[in-house]
Amino acid sequence: MNVTQIHRVYFIGIGGIGMSALARYFAFINKAVAGYDKTESPLTKELASSGIDIHYTDNIDAVPQEYKNDPEHTLVVYTPAVPSKHSEYQYFLNNGFTIKKRSEVLGLITKDSFCLAVAGTHGKTTTSSILAHLLQETGVKMTAFLGGISEDFNSNFLLEGTEYSVVEADEFDRSFMQLTPNVACVTSMDADHLDIYGDAQELERTFVDFTKRLKPGGKLFVRNGLPLEGLTYGIEDDSDYCIRNIKIEHGTYIFDLETPDLKLEGVEFNKPGRHNLLNGLVAFAMAMQAGSPPHRLAEALATFKGVQRRFSYQIKNEEFIFIDDYAHHPTEINAVFEAVSEMHPNKKVLAIFQPHLFSRTRDFADAFAESLSQFENVLLLDIYPAREEPIEGVSSEWLLKKVNSFNKKLISKEQILFEIKKQDPDVLLTMGAGDIGLEVVKIKKEMSYAG
């Protein structure tokens, strides 16, 4: 694919977080862009307000005519979440168009840049957002494709140059096998996406295969303890890059940061949770490979604002705290629990969780129950199906029976506000990767004057 020969790009599934970043990229380089998505969302509204033509019915007649008339100069990009029987997908497939997955296009765009890729079953979006922030703050001209909305850029896309690129190396559907990074990290390799991989061993094998895609002379950073060969990073251990002497002052971590060549004292970082400290550490290590000065990077760590729906404080005052998080895997729920316990000890916490995917709920039911049972008060919403059909016997009611919390209940989305007010928590948590994120604005509006 030669980008210079492409005049227009059509996206099937344009509203996805990764797809919308690519759409912004092509619009930025002055290609005509249009697309389809199943539902309107804040992301699609923002794309449409920038002049991108978007429709919400699977109907080839709704596709602008110029995108259907010129297969030679039109690229079609689709997401694996789109079913193969989708009529627009079938039209382009059967009429000589160049059709590529999002991951293929991302690989082609970044292959000629100095590519920094963030892989792992958890932590990709936060780590890549920290990395993009660090590089921007230290003057590195780069393009960043992020899997969430950075609160520093208020976007999932940044284009300030093409010499360097920051990307998430997504393991879903083996997408990261399309990338050829100069520098990569692996934050975690917990079992996930077993609907794709079958078992945890196959997932691990694919991560090993990904590490072999580094360009010659490339560097790999690995969280200490993972079964991969690379430079290690960790907390209070024997890692090559290590955080030591952690203190917490007014909700801020203060620590020493050691690399193989130097030690920085009194480094500050404002995102709660040891998992976020690790994300910040490996972003720091990767940014050093782009030539950024370590002392400036340390200063930039202190100014990172965060990512929407990653331990995001929606309300934070003396009387009431509301935190929203994308957590949709037992390991991520554990990380949220640890962060809340560390930053807000001895508070009454109410956790609202929306399971994501029937298959993931089935595969990790006992682990979900164990992680949720750490909270005394749990409200469970129905499973968000996303791309899946229901699985017999797998439901939130079934999962709730396994949870050992003192106070647990299955509720509908319509009952959320009533239950919050009834239970009157000091700290409210909403967690999940489904449409629970759309409830956050309503909760915030209603609870802003709690006290």
Side-chain angles (χ1 to χ4, degrees), residues 228-240:
L228 296 169
E229 291 293 324
L231 291 161
T232 55
Y233 67 97
I235 296 174
E236 298 287 2
D237 56 19
D238 59 352
S239 297
D240 298 305

Side-chain angles (χ1 to χ4, degrees), residues 99-344:
I99 303 180
K100 292 190 179 293
K101 285 184 182 179
R102 178 188 66 86
S103 55
E104 291 179 90
V105 178
L106 197 56
L108 289 164
I109 290 170
T110 60
K111 71 180 175 65
D112 294 326
S113 68
F114 187 97
C115 179
L116 301 111
V118 178
T121 44
H122 322 293
K124 289 187 295 293
T125 298
T126 300
T127 304
S128 56
S129 297
I130 299 169
L131 178 55
H133 170 71
L134 296 183
L135 294 176
Q136 187 196 45
E137 287 292 296
T138 53
V140 176
K141 301 302 182 188
M142 47 88 198
T143 304
F145 298 92
L146 307 174
I149 305 299
S150 161
E151 291 175 357
D152 291 276
F153 316 132
N154 197 32
S155 179
N156 57 343
F157 171 67
L158 187 70
L159 201 162
E160 295 189 341
T162 56
E163 186 180 347
Y164 292 85
S165 60
V166 174
V167 297
E168 292 188 29
D170 189 1
E171 75 280 359
F172 175 72
D173 201 36
R174 296 179 171 83
S175 292
F176 57 6
M177 297 302 290
Q178 303 291 337
L179 299 172
T180 50
N182 298 79
V183 178
C185 75
V186 178
T187 63
S188 49
M189 288 165 45
D190 292 306
D192 199 4
H193 304 302
L194 299 187
D195 54 327
I196 302 290
Y197 289 97
D199 58 40
Q201 290 72 34
E202 179 60 23
L203 177 72
E204 285 194 14
R205 279 193 292 272
T206 309
F207 268 99
V208 172
D209 290 342
F210 165 71
T211 67
K212 295 174 182 174
R213 294 192 59 80
L214 279 166
K215 290 173 184 169
K219 286 201 174 169
L220 177 68
F221 294 89
V222 179
R223 183 172 59 79
N224 202 352
L226 293 180
L228 296 169
E229 291 293 324
L231 291 161
T232 55
Y233 67 97
I235 296 174
E236 298 287 2
D237 56 19
D238 59 352
S239 297
D240 298 305
Y241 291 77
C242 191
I243 285 174
R244 300 190 190 280
N245 305 319
I246 299 170
K247 296 181 292 185
I248 299 174
E249 293 182 6
H250 310 295
T252 295
Y253 287 117
I254 301 172
F255 53 90
D256 298 337
L257 195 161
E258 295 180 4
T259 80
D261 304 311
L262 63 103
K263 178 179 179 179
L264 299 167
E265 297 180 348
V267 179
E268 296 184 12
F269 189 66
N270 293 305
K271 293 306 292 178
R274 299 291 172 109
H275 62 297
N276 279 324
L277 272 180
L278 288 167
N279 294 337
L281 175 59
V282 73
F284 175 96
M286 294 176 77
M288 283 185 66
Q289 301 303 310
S292 294
H295 287 85
R296 278 289 297 117
L297 289 172
E299 291 170 4
L301 271 178
T303 61
F304 174 67
K305 292 179 183 175
V307 183
Q308 288 181 16
R309 303 219 62 226
R310 268 59 172 193
F311 210 89
S312 297
Y313 283 100
Q314 302 296 315
I315 301 172
K316 189 178 184 183
N317 56 47
E318 291 291 324
E319 294 80 26
F320 182 69
I321 292 165
F322 172 26
I323 300 162
D324 178 47
D325 196 277
Y326 192 67
H328 58 285
H329 185 281
T331 302
E332 295 165 350
I333 295 172
N334 289 339
V336 171
F337 176 78
E338 288 167 11
V340 169
S341 302
E342 187 173 51
M343 291 296 174
H344 307 291

Side-chain angles (χ1 to χ4, degrees), residues 26-69:
F26 281 111
F28 195 92
I29 61 170
N30 297 315
K31 307 296 180 184
V33 177
Y36 153 88
D37 206 272
K38 188 165 61 173
T39 52
E40 190 177 44
S41 69
L43 273 177
T44 60
K45 286 178 183 175
E46 201 171 320
L47 292 175
S49 70
S50 69
I52 293 174
D53 189 329
I54 301 175
H55 63 273
Y56 301 96
T57 53
D58 175 15
N59 180 359
I60 194 62
D61 291 335
V63 179
Q65 198 63 40
E66 62 269 26
Y67 290 82
K68 296 185 285 189
N69 291 346

